[in-house]
Amino acid sequence: MQKLMPIEDFTEVTQTAKIDRQAHGWRAKCLQRLIRLDLPVPKTVAIPAATVRAIAAGHPIDCKAILSYFGDDALVSVRPSPANPDWGGPATILNVGHNKARHDALVKRHGAQAANAISLRFIQSYATHVARLDPDMFEAKDPSPDAIRDALRVYALEMDEEFPEDPARQLADVLRSMARAWEGTTARLLRQAKGAPLEAPLGLVVQAMAQGMGQGISGSGVMQFVDPVTGQPQITGRYLGQGQGRDALKTAKALYLTRDPRGSSLEDIAPEIFATLIRHGAACRAKLREEMQIEFTIEDGHLAVLDAVRVQRSARASLRIAVALASDGVISAEEAVLRVEPRALSEMLHSQVDPRGPRDVVARGIAASPGAATGRIVFSSAAAQASASRGEACILVRRETAPEDIRGMHSAAAVLTERGGMTSHAAVIARGLGLPCVVGANLRLDPRDKRIHAEGRSFGEGDLITIDGTTGQVLAGAAEMLAPALDEHFQTLLGWADQFRDIGIRANADTPADAATARKFAAQGIGLCRTEHMFFEEDRLVVMREMIFADVSEDRAAALARLLPMQRADFVQLFEIMAGLPVCIRLFDPPLHEFLPHDREGMRELAEALDKPLSEVTRRVEALAEFNPMLGMRGVRLGVVLPEIYDMQAQAIFEATVEVARRGAAVVPEVMIPLVSAKREVELVKARIDAVAANVKIKAGREFDYKLGVMVETPRAALRAGEIAQHAAFLSFGTNDLTQMTYGLSRDDAGRFMNIYVQQGVFPEDPFHILDVEGVGELLLIGAERGRKTRPDLTLSICGEHGGNPESIEFCRRAGFDYVSCSPYRVPLARLAAAHLALNDRSMQAQTGHKIL
């Protein structure tokens, strides 16, 4: 006979008992805190994780000793108490200890109907969760004596024994069942999916039952004091008279807590108890420093608080709650900042599909850019522009997008593509524009018939769909939406974050609209302005093509002279919007073929526009085609071979600087040379830009300053940063192309196999999504070290897609970079992530006494 475990292996939960969260679980610790707040918590016993493991291994526990804490004839509940509430746990079992004698006593105390309901519920719960019998065999809902007899008969037939009457036996079976369920393979896998360690501990709590049934006011309910979706102060919850447990509240008979025009409520039935619950909620908020949901039971007018759990909440509710707690002095501003996950901010920057509404999902893909939008399907950029001109929201659907789709993306409410990954053209541009985007969707696009086919359903041009870029879902029709949450709570939290972070945050902004968005999100300047995006506007594209078809330098300069005032106006707008904040302008980068049509019809239209033979247009398009354009005639190579382009852009920048200065705003533009590989490239471009600056100063009769820097995108530039820094005031690492060239991967094509590579451990993460600190990161460190060795005051930054990733920001902080730059809609995330990193370092430094950075 096995020896019973000693009584020390379970502890009554009192104000002074030694209850530890790791040993006894979060629920046991929370109940102790409620007891310390003098809330009416029923008597509770906590069983630590070590004892639970022993029970699972077959060691018996003295259940009579546990039950002795509760007195004769008591009924108890058993609840799971893991160290973390998010890990879940086995189902709660109510009314343990119930038998015929208890039934008879309940009949006298609460009446036959209540006693029968308790009996049937316990038999059903015990049979399905402890004996593991099929719940369909115990379906009876009417708590009649016949239903109870049938349930007991079925149990006896299936188990070859009568239903246990001994309370100690019942409790032992319940404890063993819950302990072994926690140790099961399925439960372990589910916990691991939620981030729990393999050997996550489970405690159990045994609590005296508050029946929720009786002659007077009796029932069960849950109450919380904020809306879980918005975070606004609001009493919500349900109450069911003559009911037990949370499951009972799912019935349609459950009432709302506050006065409701549809019927009575707890506030109407028991106003004093309702007021007491509000006081208890306020006490929990103040002392537990959190918005809690209270589970309660009323028995014959007596209130019992069974549990309190952290209110489940959306990201927007989490932010509002954290700010409200800090504003009320319940928590510090530092803690409020740390309570909000940076990546969760994307939910607040855009409209979102309301989680409370229905969803008709027709396709799924990669959630490439957060937010949601409803619109009518269009299949071309021209159709998107036409839709926008009519004031109609549209969804641009493409097999995959290309640079010429920029205008259509600007006009669309969202983007959906059949192909692509997180770093495809559609994904990158959509994130920069703040457009909801789903890429790589499981649909088939038929461009000839202008239809998409997905999971047996078909949609044509003009059909209404909703794109949820946060979840990667495509929904039929118009979904219910939540507006962006850029309110005072959002601004307050990010204002606090700015006080704590120690690295600059700029935005990548290609247009005045982008710059306005960057200012709205409090970016500290523009870290990358890609000027080529300005040339895709219809009137500019024609002039750009004329320049491309010019045969001599003079003709190219003449065409570019027509673009000069347009560029100058763009830069004037940028400088004025940024109001003295730094603006880093990257000179022209893409290969020229991107500005030319690729199909026969487009070439014919271009021939008509330029008044040239179609054969000549075709020859020029073919001549400009490259086998590998991303490694071809682009970036600084264009500036060396066709210097008129950079001359025009430099003149536009400097003339805009003068114009804005005359209006009273001081501007020091930062001019950045892209795709540099050699010091000589910088020397050649710098000489011409300095000459342009001198000419503008003479003509304007006004002095101005500017900075010239280099965009480090090639491994060689990183390795030769020491000599390149001789001619550069700053180095900005373009991690998109630098990753491509370091790995020898195309970011547009790598999505075809990247998931397999990550799954098989070839790469720990997609290097286009999370910065590769080992390979690409080493090039950044080499470039930074060699550049600053030559020029100690050299400004360092990154401006690729990685600039908005918390992991990349952490790397840049530790490497001593001055700032990161990311798309405007990732600026809030970057600001908050930088604050998290600084605060965590401060906390670690306080614990160790050593400076982290």
Side-chain angles (χ1 to χ4, degrees), residues 290-605:
E290 185 55 277
E291 288 288 357
M292 306 295 286
Q293 182 188 80
I294 295 176
E295 182 178 354
F296 64 92
T297 294
I298 304 170
E299 182 177 351
D300 288 336
H302 297 287
L303 174 67
V305 174
L306 307 184
D307 204 358
V309 298
R310 179 181 179 274
V311 171
Q312 294 297 309
R313 63 199 68 174
S314 68
R316 62 180 62 203
S318 180
L319 184 147
R320 179 168 184 147
I321 290 169
V323 171
L325 289 170
S327 299
D328 293 343
V330 177
I331 62 176
S332 65
E334 290 93 332
E335 185 171 350
V337 167
L338 288 171
R339 283 192 180 190
V340 179
E341 172 61 35
R343 286 190 170 92
L345 289 186
S346 59
E347 180 181 315
M348 284 157 262
L349 305 180
H350 314 275
S351 296
Q352 296 286 331
V353 175
D354 192 331
R356 298 165 292 191
R359 284 176 177 255
D360 184 6
V361 180
V362 297
R364 291 175 173 82
I366 298 171
S369 182
T374 297
R376 300 195 178 277
I377 294 174
V378 297
F379 292 97
S380 68
S381 289
Q385 289 177 288
S387 180
S389 68
R390 297 191 300 269
E392 297 177 355
C394 66
I395 308 296
L396 178 61
V397 181
R398 303 285 286 165
R399 183 156 287 151
E400 54 190 339
T401 62
E404 55 264 31
D405 290 313
I406 290 289
R407 288 171 290 157
M409 294 178 75
H410 272 284
S411 301
V415 178
L416 170 64
T417 68
E418 180 182 358
R419 300 173 182 166
M422 282 297 293
T423 53
S424 63
H425 179 272
V428 172
I429 300 303
R431 285 195 292 272
L433 297 175
L435 282 178
C437 179
V438 173
V439 300
N442 61 333
L443 54 83
R444 181 173 59 84
L445 172 61
D446 186 344
R448 179 173 297 179
D449 292 340
K450 293 187 175 181
R451 300 196 71 79
I452 55 175
H453 305 277
E455 298 188 3
R457 301 170 71 173
S458 178
F459 299 86
E461 192 160 41
D463 286 346
L464 199 65
I465 61 173
T466 297
I467 298 298
D468 188 343
T470 303
T471 64
Q473 294 178 336
V474 182
L475 314 177
E480 296 177 17
M481 307 289 275
L482 291 173
L486 305 177
D487 54 18
E488 68 273 15
H489 301 91
F490 179 88
Q491 303 298 344
T492 297
L493 185 92
L494 287 178
W496 290 338
D498 290 338
Q499 296 174 22
F500 306 132
R501 64 181 171 85
D502 51 14
I503 188 171
I505 308 293
R506 295 197 198 179
N508 301 340
D510 303 333
T511 65
D514 292 341
T517 303
R519 283 304 306 275
K520 179 173 72 173
F521 293 136
Q524 294 173 289
I526 294 176
L528 173 63
C529 174
R530 292 165 286 211
T531 52
E532 61 270 11
H533 288 172
M534 301 174 177
F535 294 118
F536 282 105
E537 296 296 331
E538 191 64 43
D539 55 341
R540 306 178 188 201
L541 188 58
V542 174
V543 181
M544 192 69 186
R545 288 170 169 174
E546 287 182 13
M547 186 277 295
I548 293 172
F549 275 81
D551 293 317
V552 295
S553 175
E554 290 77 9
D555 291 343
R556 284 194 294 272
L560 288 166
R562 294 168 58 194
L563 285 173
L564 175 64
M566 303 178 194
Q567 279 265 277
R568 182 173 59 235
D570 288 332
F571 296 139
V572 167
Q573 278 190 279
L574 283 178
F575 294 152
E576 289 187 330
I577 290 170
M578 298 313 292
L581 293 173
V583 176
C584 181
I585 300 169
R586 183 180 75 181
L587 299 175
F588 193 86
D589 179 54
L592 295 179
H593 77 89
E594 289 191 2
F595 295 88
L596 299 178
H598 304 294
D599 58 0
R600 190 78 174 172
E601 183 61 31
M603 292 183 199
R604 185 178 291 109
E605 291 177 359

Side-chain angles (χ1 to χ4, degrees), residues 545 549 596-619 621:
R545 288 170 169 174
F549 275 81
L596 299 178
H598 304 294
D599 58 0
R600 190 78 174 172
E601 183 61 31
M603 292 183 199
R604 185 178 291 109
E605 291 177 359
L606 179 58
E608 292 177 359
L610 298 178
D611 194 23
K612 291 180 180 292
L614 177 60
S615 58
E616 182 180 339
V617 171
T618 303
R619 281 196 302 273
V621 171

